[in-house]
Amino acid sequence: MTTPVHSLLVPFPAVCFTLALLTDIAFWQTGHIMWQSFSAWLLFAGIAFGVISGLVGIVEFLLRSDRRARGAVWLHVAGYVLVLGLAFVNNLVHAGDGWTAVVPYGLILSAATVLLTILVALLGRAVLHRTQTRSERS
């Protein structure tokens, strides 16, 4: 069985969201506006790559019958959409000016996005492992 193509694209938004959290922490500690700008751009890039990955995942889901009708797959999709929605709200918060664009809500949303990304990634890994195990048995 081959690895799904969308799983090769998912690390890009995950890295962008993690770096956005780190640049939010840097802004919180230094107050330098450059870190706020970096966070906003990283969130935008993560959302863009996330949408691309999601579209590729939808195409794979529709074209590969072995990926359909699994309960955990739907949970993974819902988690993925929730991550992108949370990142979008976070990007709107970061669009504000100054300190209040990051502290405290931007920082909290960035941390929540990263934690949810980790949970969805673990769920996706479990789904992929189950699918590969089932195909090896048959």
Side-chain angles (χ1 to χ4, degrees):
M1 169 166 274
T2 61
T3 302
V5 176
H6 86 276
S7 67
L8 301 174
L9 300 172
V10 167
F12 290 104
V15 167
C16 288
F17 297 150
T18 303
L19 289 174
L21 174 60
L22 294 177
T23 55
D24 280 351
I25 292 170
F27 177 76
W28 175 44
Q29 294 299 312
T30 65
H32 198 287
I33 200 75
M34 169 189 69
W35 296 115
Q36 179 193 0
S37 297
F38 285 171
S39 292
W41 281 105
L42 284 164
L43 287 168
F44 175 75
I47 293 167
F49 278 112
V51 168
I52 291 168
S53 176
L55 291 174
V56 170
I58 289 169
V59 169
E60 281 185 329
F61 181 77
L62 294 174
L63 295 179
R64 296 180 68 178
S65 61
D66 61 329
R67 301 259 183 247
R68 284 188 225 141
R70 306 240 196 292
V73 170
W74 292 107
L75 187 59
H76 178 66
V77 169
Y80 191 75
V81 169
L82 188 60
V83 165
L84 290 178
L86 194 58
F88 180 75
V89 170
N90 194 10
N91 203 11
L92 293 177
V93 169
H94 277 78
D97 287 332
W99 184 259
T100 56
V102 176
V103 179
Y105 300 113
L107 191 57
I108 292 168
L109 286 170
S110 290
T113 302
V114 169
L115 289 175
L116 190 59
T117 301
I118 292 169
L119 291 174
V120 171
L122 290 174
L123 180 63
R125 186 173 175 93
V127 168
L128 181 63
H129 178 68
R130 261 190 239 126
T131 304
Q132 287 177 342
T133 304
R134 286 182 186 163
S135 67
E136 289 172 1
R137 281 190 235 153
S138 43

